[in-house]
């Protein structure tokens, strides 16, 4: 009956994937190497770190928060991991160390946000500075080189498939599962959608915030290992601004900055859109300054679109509110 | 005495979608008099005042100042006609200083357009000294007490050379001493020929200062008389005198043992000596004026706020409630008065909104049983007659009544024994109201206990088996069904025995 309406809904739900598809088509026309297996695998390898960070940002934004510290914590956890590997020779221990420090930093974030009521923006900004400082202090500002077998995380393959892509795929499935199939995931949407209503529904908001930060910490730790091993060095000054890459992917992928809305696959698509954009601009030789401008414009458009579609939806609610005020 | 008419409104009508807030209002204020406006919550007093102050535009009708027709389209314009309003809710910027707040929007500037701080300080200090207010010009607004702020607002309005001052519940937050000061000021203003429209629930105050009294009911003027021709009883009966329609589908239920018993519940500075009980199959009401502490009591019982002392027993067993999860575990639920703030999760679907408090029913064994969830929720929606385009529709695009029914469904999914419904029919249309009443009746017949907080007396009288009335944080009376009358409730609610 309401075909137009239905069509709009489908467009709204899948628009991000349609955008990605159109982009892939345009890219493949601009450069015939774009769709080659090598290039696609290349895009995905480059994307792995940003995508994993984007999932953490997505979970936080859905629940009404965000993390500005993930790039710095990534570097800190990364250099700790690298140096532990260099002294113990154990890949497992090195991997766990990265996760441990990622989680510790994020539990501090959670403490500030829930117990001390610090706005997440401020709390994680402070953590960004502290973590970067610790990374630089620990390495005395020097890069750690000669990582040996450590590079297997970022550069190795299992059969034909790069290990970093496997990490990305497995994490995608886990995050999708958490959001879609656990009570915790549902609670995050409720918390970000209306925290006070979540409390009044019996949801333990503080506990959930700790858990979501802890998950973010695990993701940042994994990203730290992948990043350092991909560049074959422990870079205390590495990954600057990577939290923005993550945030961008999440927002472009339809995660609403006002909380309560966002999907795993949307964020994945968002990451791919940015990855393809970077890749095609490199392939056809766009000036790197112009690349930044293009990326900035795309982010602005994504958010404008998000707010615009939300305004349409709330128009009706305002009427209802007026009504109750008039009573 | 025949003073000239200072302000007159004629034929004012105002509708909000689905609700007629004001119809054909005729109302006039004489120069140099205090005109009290009385009416129940929702009678239309605040809407009328907002029209006079230019916040709302009337659909029809005309306002006259000094018998000249005027069009008031904004509070600034209202000010230019000499109309000032002291709102019930205080508007101020807590982080700014007293002087900045006092001159907000009209800060003195120098030639270059920069603020003349020296002049501002001088003016403010003169003003504070003249009015004998005990605080400094540079003090931040948030360091002042509520009553200080209220006094400042009042004096600010007066100092603007206003000719007509609207005071909406001006004494709700100030002490008796300050009330006396305020009344002295009002007397002074009358001398100067200023007209005052005074809105208050406090009958003793109204009769202390009013020259004329107009009673509003259901958005219409009932009667206007000189105060000398009226008394408290007469005004109350005019306020509530609407005929009881048969819109309350109340059926007698089997009343069983006591389910919830609250004893001496006390919360410092909020409420005290709260003792009441509710039995199986019973619907009890909580009446009282806005700010009497009804919602606060219920929030404490539901674990949203903490309480200082007292006991809560369920079926004779003492229970402790620190957080919402505790009350839910004890099968107590609460539908909040503020649907937008504590109820809906606007951007999420109706299904998710309904299942959020019972996720363990649908997410088990390692994954979400979404089909089962949709089906169960939709059964409840059918029972509650929720009208929604799809099960995936975001709740924010439903009407208020349907939102409320979704939220009721959310709690019914848990099959609660004790339901606290705080203003369950606020802001929803008549049809949806009726459906909610019907559901309440069925719930009670099921042997559950219902506690309804409401500001609409007819609804309480129509639906409840017993009514507790609260006044200033205490239970001031309990009425059995045979003793119900709007007059009796209003007496307890206003504290005028």
């Amino acid at each position: 009956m309401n075909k137009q309406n239905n069509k709009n809904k489908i467009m709204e739900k899948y628009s991000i994937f349609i955008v990605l598809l159109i982009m892939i088509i345009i890219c493949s026309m601009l450069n015939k190497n774009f769709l080659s297996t090598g290039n696609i695998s290349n895009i995905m390898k480059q994307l792995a770190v940003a995508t994993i960070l984007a999932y953490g940002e997505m979970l936080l934004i859905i629940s009404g928060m965000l993390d500005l510290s993930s790039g710095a914590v990534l570097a800190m956890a990364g250099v700790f991991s690298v140096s532990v590997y260099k002294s113990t020779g154990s890949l497992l221990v090195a991997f766990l160390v990265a996760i441990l420090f990622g989680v510790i930093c994020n539990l501090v974030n959670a403490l500030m946000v829930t117990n001390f009521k610090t706005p997440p923006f401020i709390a994680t900004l402070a953590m960004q500075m502290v973590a970067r400082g610790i990374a630089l202090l620990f390495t005395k500002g020097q890069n750690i080189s000669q990582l040996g077998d450590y590079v297997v995380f970022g550069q190795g393959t299992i059969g034909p498939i790069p290990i970093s892509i496997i990490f990305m795929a497995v994490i995608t499935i886990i995050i999708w599962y958490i959001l879609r199939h656990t009570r915790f995931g549902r609670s995050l949407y409720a918390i970000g959608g209306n925290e006070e209503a979540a409390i009044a529904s019996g949801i333990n908001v503080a506990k959930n915030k700790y858990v979501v930060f802890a998950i973010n910490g695990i993701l940042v730790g994994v990203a730290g290992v992948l990043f350092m091993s991909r560049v074959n060095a422990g870079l205390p000054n590495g990954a600057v601004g990577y939290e923005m890459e993550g945030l961008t992917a999440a927002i472009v992928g339809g995660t609403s900055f006002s909380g309560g809305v966002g999907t795993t696959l949307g964020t994945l698509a968002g990451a791919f859109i940015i990855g393809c954009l970077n890749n095609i601009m490199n392939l056809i030789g766009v000036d790197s300054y112009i690349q930044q401008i293009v990326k900035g414009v795309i982010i602005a458009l994504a958010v404008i679109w998000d707010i615009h579609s939300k305004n349409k939806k709330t128009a009706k609610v305002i009427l209802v509110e007026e009504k109750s005020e008039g009573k | 005495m025949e003073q000239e008419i200072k302000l007159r409104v004629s034929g004012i009508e105002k509708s909000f979608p689905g609700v007629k807030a004001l119809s054909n209002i005729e109302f006039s204020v004489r120069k140099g008099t205090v005109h009290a406006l009385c009416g129940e919550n929702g009678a239309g007093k605040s809407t009328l005042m907002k029209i006079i102050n230019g916040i709302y535009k009337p659909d029809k009708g005309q306002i006259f100042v000094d018998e000249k027709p005027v069009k008031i389209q904004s509070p600034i314009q209202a000010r230019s006609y000499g109309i000032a309003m002291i709102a019930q809710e205080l508007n101020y910027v807590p982080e700014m200083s007293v002087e900045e707040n006092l001159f907000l929007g009209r800060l003195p500037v120098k030639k270059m357009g920069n603020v003349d701080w020296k002049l501002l300080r001088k003016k403010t200090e003169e003003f504070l000294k003249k009015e004998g207010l005990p605080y400094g010009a540079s003090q931040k607004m948030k360091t002042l007490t509520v009553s200080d702020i209220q006094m400042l607002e009042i004096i600010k309005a007066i100092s603007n050379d206003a000719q007509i001052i609207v005071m909406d519940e001006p004494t709700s937050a100030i002490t008796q001493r300050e009330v006396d000061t305020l009344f002295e000021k009002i007397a002074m203003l009358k001398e100067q020929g200023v007209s005052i429209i005074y809105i208050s629930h406090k009958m003793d105050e109204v009769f202390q200062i009013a020259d004329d009294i107009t009673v509003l009911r259901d958005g219409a003027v009932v009667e206007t008389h000189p105060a000398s021709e009226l008394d408290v009883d007469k005004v109350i009966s005019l306020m509530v005198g609407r005929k009881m329609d048969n819109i309350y589908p109340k059926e007698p239920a089997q009343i069983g043992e006591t389910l919830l018993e609250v004893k001496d519940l006390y919360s410092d500075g909020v409420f005290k000596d709260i003792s009441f009980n509710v039995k199986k199959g019973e619907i009890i009401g909580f009446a009282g004026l806005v700010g009497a502490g009804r919602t606060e009591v219920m929030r404490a019982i539901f674990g949203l706020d903490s309480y200082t002392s007292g006991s809560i027993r369920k079926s004779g067993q003492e229970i402790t409630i620190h957080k919402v999860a505790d009350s839910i575990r004890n099968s107590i639920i609460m539908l909040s008065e503020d649907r937008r703030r504590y109820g809906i999760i606007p951007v999420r679907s109706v299904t998710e909104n309904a299942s959020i408090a019972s996720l363990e029913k649908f997410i088990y064994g390692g994954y979400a049983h979404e089909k089962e969830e949709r089906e169960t929720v939709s059964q409840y929606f059918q029972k509650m007659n929720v009208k929604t385009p799809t099960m995936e529709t975001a709740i924010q695009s439903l009407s208020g009544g349907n939102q409320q029914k979704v939220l009721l469904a959310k709690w019914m999914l848990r099959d609660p024994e004790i339901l606290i419904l705080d203003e369950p029919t606020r802001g929803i249309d008549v049809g949806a109201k009726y459906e909610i009443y019907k559901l309440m009746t069925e719930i009670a017949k099921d042997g559950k206990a219902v506690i309804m907080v409401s500001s609409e007396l007819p609804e309480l009288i129509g639906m409840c088996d017993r009514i507790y009335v609260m006044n200033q944080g205490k239970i001031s009376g309990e009425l059995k069904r045979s003793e119900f009358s709007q007059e009796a409730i209003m007496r307890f609610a206003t504290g005028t025995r």
Side-chain angles (χ1 to χ4, degrees), chain A residues 177 180-181 183 186 189-190 193-194 196-197 199-202 260 313-314 316-317 320 323-327, chain B residues 16-17 19 50 56 302 324 328 340-345 348 359-360 363 366 368 370 373 396-397 400 410-411:
Chain A
Y177 175 82
R180 185 86 187 259
H181 286 293
R183 277 176 235 169
R186 284 290 187 85
Y189 286 113
N194 184 350
E196 291 191 275
I199 294 171
S201 302
K313 277 190 214 158
T314 39
K316 218 168 174 180
V317 179
V320 175
K323 194 154 102 183
S324 58
E325 208 181 322
K327 264 306 294 175
Chain B
F16 296 100
V19 178
K50 280 179 178 170
Y56 290 156
F302 188 53
V324 175
I328 291 180
R340 294 267 298 153
R341 183 156 173 206
Y342 300 105
I344 63 167
I345 302 162
R348 304 309 299 176
L359 289 176
E360 72 280 2
I363 302 181
E370 286 175 358
E373 177 183 358
Q396 62 186 358
S397 48
K410 150 176 147 182
W411 290 120

Side-chain angles (χ1 to χ4, degrees), chain B residues 121-389:
Chain B
R121 177 63 52 89
K122 200 173 136 244
K123 274 179 147 178
T124 310
E125 272 167 1
E126 270 170 18
F127 177 78
L128 293 177
K129 204 170 149 210
K130 193 179 106 208
E131 302 295 344
L133 296 173
Y135 30 82
S138 60
Q139 227 173 312
K140 271 195 180 176
M141 206 68 178
K142 65 175 179 185
T143 62
L144 271 51
T145 65
V146 177
S147 81
D148 279 343
I149 294 167
Q150 183 105 24
M151 264 332 256
L152 187 68
E153 284 275 320
I154 292 168
I155 290 170
K156 183 172 130 189
I158 296 170
S159 75
N160 274 348
D161 293 328
Q163 291 304 302
I164 301 158
I165 301 176
V166 179
M167 299 186 182
D168 194 354
E169 298 277 355
T171 60
S172 59
I174 62 178
T175 61
Q176 188 54 48
R177 259 236 320 275
E178 287 163 321
V179 172
D180 294 340
T181 317
L182 174 66
F183 285 2
E184 278 166 31
K185 285 236 173 319
I186 290 177
M188 227 168 67
L189 288 166
K190 272 173 62 174
E191 294 276 302
Q192 294 165 9
V194 174
S195 307
I196 290 162
I197 302 174
Y198 192 90
I199 300 178
S200 179
H201 281 303
K202 297 180 186 161
M203 286 299 144
D204 47 342
E205 284 181 7
V206 167
F207 278 92
Q208 202 178 328
I209 61 163
D211 298 300
D212 300 296
I213 297 176
T214 289
V215 178
L216 279 182
R217 192 202 310 147
D218 292 339
V221 173
V222 185
E223 275 170 48
T224 299
H225 291 291
S228 53
E229 293 173 14
L230 290 167
D231 58 32
V232 175
D233 283 335
K234 178 84 172 122
V235 171
I236 288 181
S237 72
L238 286 174
M239 273 163 70
V240 298
R242 107 190 77 184
K243 258 187 251 141
M244 294 284 288
D245 307 328
N246 192 21
I247 56 165
Y248 302 105
K250 169 99 183 143
E251 290 171 41
Q254 186 73 39
I255 293 181
E257 65 199 72
T258 301
L259 202 49
L260 184 77
E261 181 154 30
V262 173
K263 221 167 173 174
D264 299 328
L265 206 63
Y266 169 71
S267 174
D268 205 12
V270 186
F271 54 78
K272 60 180 171 182
D273 305 333
I274 301 297
S275 298
F276 70 92
N277 62 70
V278 54
K279 303 181 182 68
K280 282 187 173 177
E282 205 177 25
I283 300 175
I284 65 161
F286 266 80
L289 301 171
V290 171
R294 296 166 300 166
T295 296
E296 287 76 6
V297 169
M298 297 310 152
R299 283 176 62 88
I301 294 171
F302 188 53
L304 279 168
D305 295 335
S306 55
Y307 53 91
T308 319
S309 64
S311 77
I312 302 173
R313 284 167 177 275
K314 195 197 144 203
S315 306
Q317 292 274 329
E318 173 113 24
I319 55 173
T320 40
I321 289 169
H322 296 299
K323 50 183 195 294
V324 175
D326 297 332
S327 52
I328 291 180
R329 198 176 330 109
N330 283 299
S331 212
I332 302 170
I333 65 91
M334 174 166 167
L335 198 64
S336 167
E337 59 166 339
D338 194 337
R339 191 167 53 235
R340 294 267 298 153
R341 183 156 173 206
Y342 300 105
I344 63 167
I345 302 162
V347 292
R348 304 309 299 176
S349 71
V350 285
T351 310
E352 274 182 62
N353 267 282
S355 65
I356 190 67
S358 354
L359 289 176
E360 72 280 2
K361 284 192 167 72
F362 308 115
I363 302 181
Y364 58 88
Y367 68 101
H369 300 71
E370 286 175 358
K371 191 165 169 245
E372 193 183 321
E373 177 183 358
R374 244 191 332 268
E375 279 166 4
T376 312
V377 169
S378 119
Q379 273 170 26
Y380 277 86
F381 280 4
Q382 261 163 33
K383 247 187 264 177
M384 318 248 147
N385 199 15
V386 175
K387 288 183 202 83
T388 173

Side-chain angles (χ1 to χ4, degrees), chain A residues 8 57 93 119 240:
Chain A
N8 285 345
E57 298 288 1
V93 173
V240 173

